[in-house]
Amino acid sequence: MELKNKNVFVTGSTRGIGLAVAHKFASLGANVVLNGRSEISEDLLAQFADYGVTVVGISGDISNGEDAKRMVAEAIENLGSVDVLVNNAGITNDKLMLKMSEEDFERVLKINLTGAFNMTQAVLKPMSKARQGAIINMSSVVGIMGNIGQANYAASKAGLIGFTKSVAREVAARGVRVNAIAPGFIESDMTDAIPEKMKDAMIAQVPMKRIGQAEEVAEVAAFLASQEYLTGQTIAIDGGMTMQ
Ligand SMILES: NC(=O)c1ccc[n+]([C@@H]2O[C@H](COP(=O)([O-])OP(=O)(O)OC[C@H]3O[C@@H](n4cnc5c(N)ncnc54)[C@H](OP(=O)(O)O)[C@@H]3O)[C@@H](O)[C@H]2O)c1
């Protein structure tokens, strides 16, 4: 798919990986929707001024089905279509299993997994009708390998991989492709919150011995959106962490 002049909705794009993904698509000539639960600031929109594309800020909560429908409708009203959806928004709420409450578990599932379901359902009909579209789900190496203290997060990210394959099979014949990205340890606010000592221990487990950059993940998102014979796959960008 040629990305120039396409319309791309990136959930959770006020910072981190989502913001880098939005910049990447805009640099390729695509119009982008920036999203987060918080207000989309004028300063954030101004970052995109030099790309010569349309950038729209639509705030809302992906874990709320009605909000997801409203946001997609607003995007279509503003841009005419959503050609690419990047289900990037996600949270962590780490606790050891013995200390994790049902609420701790469900809150993460509700945003990371149900949120992707809500947004995908909202875009799928118009994409199928247009016989064109790409959906990219931001999973994680934790969904492949598991991680201590992240039973909720791992379940949500593994769930996204199964979700990706199922929806990909359902809509492949209609020209809509669905893929996932499994980033490793990437520099962002999410990983900044991890204590320095633990970060060093995590980097030691990466064959390439360094943290990844959000821009590197964004390259994969643009690749997955553009490749017309690629669907149902999960691409790990992780410095070699999950190689077998
Ligand atoms: N960083 C890593 O090492 C890493 C590794 C593997 C996978 N990932 C995945 O990559 C994605 C982005 O991670 P990140 O590190 O860039 O995270 P981040 O810096 O914490 O950013 C998260 C983004 O999601 C938005 N968000 C959170 N909940 C939302 C909701 N309910 N509705 C709409 N927007 C919401 C946040 O905005 P508001 O706060 O305004 O809502 C923010 O824009 C996540 O899915 C994460 O699980 C990250």
Side-chain angles (χ1 to χ4, degrees):
M1 188 198 287
E2 164 69 52
L3 297 175
K4 196 169 162 48
N5 297 324
K6 292 293 187 303
N7 303 316
V8 183
F9 196 128
V10 188
T11 70
S13 44
T14 56
R15 56 177 190 265
I17 295 174
L19 181 57
V21 168
H23 273 288
K24 180 69 201 175
F25 279 103
S27 76
L28 295 169
N31 305 311
V32 293
V33 177
L34 299 179
N35 158 262
R37 288 164 300 186
S38 44
E39 234 7 77
I40 311 299
S41 70
E42 287 304 320
D43 282 355
L44 190 63
L45 292 167
Q47 283 187 19
F48 290 78
D50 292 340
Y51 293 119
V53 300
T54 304
V55 183
V56 184
I58 302 180
S59 51
D61 185 349
I62 59 159
S63 70
N64 177 316
E66 288 309 310
D67 227 14
K69 273 189 222 152
R70 191 254 317 152
M71 291 194 286
V72 169
E74 244 179 82
I76 293 174
E77 203 177 293
N78 274 279
L79 299 171
S81 64
V82 173
D83 306 299
V84 179
L85 168 66
V86 184
N87 281 316
N88 165 79
I91 62 158
T92 52
N93 185 15
D94 300 352
K95 272 174 200 166
L96 291 174
M97 187 57 195
L98 287 175
K99 293 192 172 157
M100 191 179 285
S101 67
E102 190 176 337
E103 203 271 328
D104 291 329
F105 186 77
E106 287 188 339
R107 194 162 76 86
V108 171
L109 267 286
K110 184 92 174 135
I111 293 178
N112 296 9
L113 189 54
T114 310
F117 165 84
N118 289 336
M119 291 299 293
T120 300
Q121 201 163 58
V123 299
L124 214 49
K125 223 185 212 171
M127 274 187 185
S128 299
K129 212 169 157 197
R131 301 244 151 210
Q132 171 187 272
I135 298 171
I136 296 160
N137 297 317
M138 205 57 79
S139 179
S140 166
V141 290
V142 173
I144 298 169
M145 304 166 70
N147 197 22
I148 292 170
Q150 293 199 308
N152 49 5
Y153 184 76
S156 73
K157 295 299 184 181
L160 272 179
I161 294 174
F163 175 75
T164 297
K165 292 178 188 175
S166 298
V167 182
R169 285 184 187 276
E170 285 185 26
V171 295
R174 296 192 192 145
V176 181
R177 297 176 299 101
V178 190
N179 291 288
I181 303 177
F185 187 32
I186 308 296
E187 197 167 339
S188 77
D189 286 1
M190 192 180 264
T191 48
D192 278 354
I194 299 170
E196 230 26 71
K197 230 175 147 183
M198 207 190 267
K199 265 197 216 171
D200 291 344
M202 286 166 84
I203 291 171
Q205 285 174 32
V206 181
M208 293 187 79
K209 303 290 174 221
R210 71 166 174 89
I211 194 164
Q213 297 301 312
E215 292 71 22
E216 294 175 299
V217 180
E219 294 283 343
V220 180
F223 173 76
L224 287 174
S226 62
Q227 296 305 307
E228 307 233 343
Y229 201 50
L230 212 175
T231 197
Q233 301 302 315
T234 299
I235 309 280
I237 171 145
D238 62 359
M241 274 175 95
T242 55
M243 78 169 94
Q244 286 175 336

